[in-house]
Amino acid sequence: MSACQVIAVMITTSQVGENSRGQKDTLVSQERMDHQAQWAIWGQTSVRNMRWIAGGTYTGEALDFARQAFGSSQLDRKVAIVLTDGRSDTRRDAKPLSSLCSVPNIRVVGIGIGDIFRWASYATMLEEITCLGTASPGLYLKITDDVQLLEDSFFNNVTGYVCQDKKCPDYTCPANFQEATDIVFMLDGSSSVGQANFYRAREFVENMAARLLSQDRGGLLRLSVMQYSDGQQQRVEVPFTARVEDVLTGLAATLCMDGATDLPAALAFLTSTLQREGRSAVPRKVVVFTDGRSVASAWAAIPRAAAALAENTQLLAVTVGEGFDEAGVCQLVMGQANGFDYHVVDSRVHRVALYSDLARRVVMQSLARKLSKAL
């Protein structure tokens, strides 16, 4: 997205569940649309904390609210993405569904999602929302389930339309490392992960290693892979190397430990290994696959073990699904027991919904960019 383009997202909340909308007069503004850098931190946190209003569907009222928000923007181009089942209480909602069509230089994308009763979205209302039949027609797409929002093909369709006269990110550009860096991936081999998910995570690390090392033209990077489980099970699966072949060979022989979870013991093993094998004057980035949990006897030691790492070592966490221990993950990436800076936490925690999502290019590229940022 360029500096001359602003995007607003709106989600219906009556039955498919940002301006978030439901009952009349319960519109929640998710704007702050003119600072792209702030959106990366503030926007993700705000959307994640958004609550379902669960009222009636006043779509016209919501779109008019967005129209007024766009009125204060000085940017040349504007995009509104409306996620809806295409229904609206038009008998009580006096605002037209075409409210956004009067905004100059706007593109309206309507995403029609089947509702909780599995009824298809209403095409007629979607056409009105997206200004079809006007001089500046928008685009609407229909899907049957919100899971389809995560598909790469759907994502590419939306971004391709939004950025049709711009160069959209294709998530294949190389991560730009400016300095020598040692990177460690720590796989969680505990039984709570499950063997199938462990091998999905292992494949993700294979793909990340191929991406990072093959694009390292300056010879700045080394990569290692470790696995951890209970207090007695930690292992270096791939010693530090700059060769993709070494990583792939080592991981092909890596089997899931399938034990309990002792995160502090894993961090102690990491610390001692880095002291022996890490380059002393080089930044170290450690990616830990974790749900933030550990055996009860060791849980309280997580922040102390994380804080014991050298100052030039940064921990990033990869969590999958909603079943992780938020406090444990925060302690891991911050190295303290409480008083977390959630802006820092958000920048160091890489969340995905399902293990299968680890195969998506956008997930890999996002993590690669986090790794390439200077400490």
Side-chain angles (χ1 to χ4, degrees):
M1 186 177 70
S2 70
C4 61
Q5 190 167 13
V6 60
I7 294 182
V9 180
M10 306 181 69
I11 305 175
T12 279
T13 63
S14 57
Q15 291 185 334
V16 296
E18 259 171 55
N19 176 355
S20 178
R21 62 182 175 82
Q23 287 289 95
K24 178 177 170 61
D25 299 328
T26 56
L27 293 166
V28 181
S29 174
Q30 300 291 349
E31 42 181 319
R32 299 196 186 182
M33 297 184 293
D34 52 350
H35 295 293
Q36 182 179 357
Q38 289 181 357
W39 168 255
I41 296 174
W42 178 89
Q44 290 179 13
T45 303
S46 297
V47 171
R48 192 176 298 120
N49 293 334
M50 193 183 298
R51 296 295 178 261
W52 185 27
I53 293 175
T57 311
Y58 283 75
T59 306
E61 185 80 22
L63 296 173
D64 186 68
F65 179 78
R67 177 191 62 79
Q68 296 176 53
F70 276 121
S72 62
S73 172
Q74 301 300 311
L75 301 182
D76 294 337
R77 298 180 180 88
K78 307 170 184 69
V79 175
I81 302 175
V82 185
L83 288 84
T84 178
D85 60 8
R87 294 168 175 79
S88 182
D89 190 347
T90 54
R91 291 176 299 174
R92 292 185 292 173
D93 185 359
K95 302 295 184 181
L97 295 174
S98 58
S99 291
L100 286 173
C101 304
S102 62
V103 178
N105 303 315
I106 191 169
R107 289 176 181 157
V108 183
V109 180
I111 300 175
I113 308 175
D115 64 17
I116 59 175
F117 305 112
R118 312 299 293 177
W119 293 341
S121 53
Y122 280 14
T124 303
M125 289 187 176
L126 282 168
E127 291 175 1
E128 189 172 353
I129 289 169
T130 54
C131 314
L132 297 190
T134 72
S136 301
L139 169 75
Y140 78 83
L141 304 167
K142 296 177 69 173
I143 59 178
T144 57
D145 193 291
D146 54 13
V147 173
Q148 294 175 257
L149 293 169
L150 300 177
E151 294 178 359
D152 281 342
S153 58
F154 181 82
F155 180 81
N156 291 336
N157 284 339
V158 174
T159 55
Y161 176 77
V162 169
C163 307
Q164 59 188 262
D165 55 353
K166 299 287 178 183
K167 177 174 173 52
C168 279
D170 60 6
Y171 303 103
T172 59
C173 54
N176 188 18
F177 286 83
Q178 299 295 327
E179 57 187 348
T181 306
D182 282 347
I183 300 172
V184 178
F185 287 91
M186 295 195 72
L187 291 167
D188 184 352
S190 54
S191 57
S192 60
V193 171
Q195 291 200 15
N197 289 333
F198 174 82
Y199 292 120
R200 289 188 181 100
R202 189 185 71 174
E203 182 180 6
F204 173 77
V205 173
E206 291 174 352
N207 292 332
M208 285 294 301
R211 175 186 291 266
L212 293 170
L213 295 179
S214 64
Q215 295 174 348
D216 179 28
R217 308 303 183 196
L220 299 174
L221 304 182
R222 295 195 315 167
L223 192 146
S224 175
V225 183
M226 305 177 192
Q227 182 185 174
Y228 71 95
S229 183
D230 59 40
Q232 305 303 315
Q233 294 194 86
Q234 306 92 29
R235 186 167 61 230
V236 176
E237 305 288 5
V238 180
F240 276 113
T241 181
R243 289 167 35 90
V244 176
E245 296 80 4
D246 294 340
V247 179
L248 299 183
T249 300
L251 285 175
T254 298
L255 302 177
C256 181
M257 292 175 172
D258 199 26
T261 310
D262 192 328
L263 195 51
L267 295 176
F269 177 78
L270 170 68
T271 300
S272 62
T273 303
L274 288 177
Q275 288 173 347
R276 295 192 310 271
E277 308 296 338
R279 293 177 285 182
S280 59
V282 166
R284 301 155 178 178
K285 304 289 183 71
V286 181
V287 180
V288 183
F289 287 78
T290 180
D291 59 9
R293 292 183 171 82
S294 194
V295 291
S297 60
W299 187 85
I302 292 176
R304 184 170 65 254
L309 290 163
E311 289 186 1
N312 65 336
T313 304
Q314 182 181 80
L315 286 176
L316 305 176
V318 175
T319 65
V320 181
E322 299 294 332
F324 61 90
D325 185 317
E326 182 173 355
V329 171
C330 291
Q331 290 172 350
L332 173 67
V333 299
M334 293 293 296
Q336 58 195 60
N338 47 49
F340 311 122
D341 182 337
Y342 285 99
H343 286 177
V344 176
V345 170
D346 279 345
S347 70
R348 297 181 183 176
V349 178
H350 202 65
R351 300 175 176 86
V352 295
L354 303 167
Y355 274 94
S356 58
D357 291 338
L358 292 173
R360 298 173 62 221
R361 288 179 302 162
V362 64
V363 173
M364 289 186 282
Q365 184 62 24
S366 178
L367 180 58
R369 287 176 177 171
K370 286 185 177 181
L371 288 170
S372 66
K373 290 181 179 178
L375 287 174

